[in-house]
Every structure is written in structure tokens, then in C-alpha cells.
Amino acid sequence: EAVAHVELASVDTTNVLVVGAVTAPGLVQLRRTERNMLFAIVAAGGVSVEASGQATLRRIRRPADVATYDLTDPTQLNEALVLDPLESGDIISVYAAQPNTVFVGGLVNRAAPQLYPPGTTITALQALAAANGVRTDIYPKEGTLVRRLPDGTDVHVKLDLNRLARGDDPNIVLAAGDILWVPDTWQT
């Protein structure tokens, strides 16, 4: 009768550093069959609510080999999954999305930047309401929406606050970085 004794001497693991917008950033251990970006991010607790979907891989043995992927795009996710296996010391940085900040100022009751989670839709009337409304001691009638275009130029759009409040004009959806200004005019 033959008896065989098998003992596993060591588990072949790879230690990768995952930082940024993940639930548990730090050093994660990956088994030989898990050495890709997706397994590493999952091992770090998955992406946090602030995550943008962008992640960068920096190779410890090839410092010039830096690649960024949008993991929400199926094509780029596939590209990230077919990369050479991760090696101990590689670093994955998961980027947070830019906060959705709208600036409301001028003749409002609480002029201040308004910070919303990424992806939140805010309209002009909602932003004015969050600023505790327009001042009632002087009754401003107009506002200006300032939006910066990708080429760096600003577009100014006049808003008739009364028509907007009545629903006669469309309640414009604001974009991150927009400025909603209620100016002091000769009428106020």
C-alpha cells in the first residue's frame, strides 16, 4: 500500500499597490490567475462612490510604461484585461471624478459654491433654491449663466428669473463649473 503526502510550500502571489478612489486602498495580494487590473481593484474593496472609472497602471520594472484606461468603456476595459500579468510592486491608481461644483452668487441670500456628487443633475432653479432664493428686498429680475467651453472661452446667457420661475422659459440644466450670477442692475 503506497501513501503519498503532498504539502504546498508556498502560494504564488503577487503584491500590487492599489491607491486612490477604492474602498480599501493599499497593498493587495493576487493569485497567479488574478494578476490583472480588475482583480486588483476588487481586492482593494472595489471602486468607491467617488471613482471616475479612470485608472492608471505603473509598472515597477518598466517605469516609463504608464497606461491609463477608462474602465467604464468596454473597449478600454478589455485592453486593460489583456495586458501582461501584473508583477509585485506594480501600482494602480484609481482616479476620483471631479466634483460637480456650481457657483451661485450676486443677489441671492446665500452666495456660495454648491458641491454635488458627480453625475448629479442640477437646474438653474434648483441652484437658486439651494442659495436660499434671490433677495426679496430688491427683487432682482435677471440672472446670467456663465459656462466655460472646452476651448477656454466663456459663454454668457441672460436668464429672465420671472419667466424661468413661471415655467415660460426652460429650466436650464447646469454643468460642473457653471456660474449662475444674479447681477446688481439699474433696476435693483
Side-chain angles (χ1 to χ4, degrees):
E1 179 176 332
V3 176
H5 177 74
V6 178
E7 184 177 319
L8 185 58
S10 68
V11 177
D12 184 20
T13 60
T14 301
N15 295 312
V16 176
L17 183 62
V18 182
V19 296
V22 290
T23 304
L27 198 61
V28 297
Q29 285 190 343
L30 303 173
R31 289 181 279 212
R32 188 178 60 79
T33 59
E34 301 174 338
R35 296 184 301 162
N36 66 43
M37 288 180 71
L38 196 56
F39 274 111
I41 291 169
V42 169
V47 294
S48 67
V49 295
E50 295 89 19
S52 67
Q54 299 281 327
T56 296
L57 172 61
R58 287 179 174 75
R59 300 280 190 170
I60 190 74
R61 296 182 191 204
R62 294 175 276 172
D65 187 7
V66 176
T68 300
Y69 299 93
D70 180 353
L71 301 178
T72 63
D73 177 286
T75 302
Q76 290 187 41
L77 174 61
N78 192 48
E79 289 173 12
L81 292 176
V82 298
L83 291 171
D84 289 341
L86 297 176
E87 298 176 2
S88 287
D90 287 350
I91 301 170
I92 298 171
S93 302
V94 179
Y95 296 102
Q98 292 293 340
N100 185 6
T101 304
V102 175
F103 302 90
V104 181
L107 301 177
V108 293
N109 290 312
R110 191 171 50 93
Q114 297 175 3
L115 184 62
Y116 299 98
T120 303
T121 301
I122 291 296
T123 65
L125 285 177
Q126 288 171 323
L128 288 172
N132 290 337
V134 295
R135 289 185 36 195
T136 56
D137 57 334
I138 49 181
Y139 299 106
K141 296 178 180 160
E142 67 181 47
T144 302
L145 171 63
V146 181
R147 179 168 293 167
R148 173 134 311 159
L149 298 178
D151 67 2
T153 60
D154 288 338
V155 173
H156 296 252
V157 177
K158 291 276 187 209
L159 304 174
D160 183 320
L161 299 179
N162 292 328
R163 289 181 55 82
L164 189 64
R166 286 193 312 264
D168 296 338
D169 286 347
N171 190 9
I172 297 172
V173 173
L174 303 179
D178 278 356
I179 300 169
L180 183 55
W181 193 259
V182 181
D184 193 2
T185 65
W186 66 273
Q187 294 173 333
T188 58

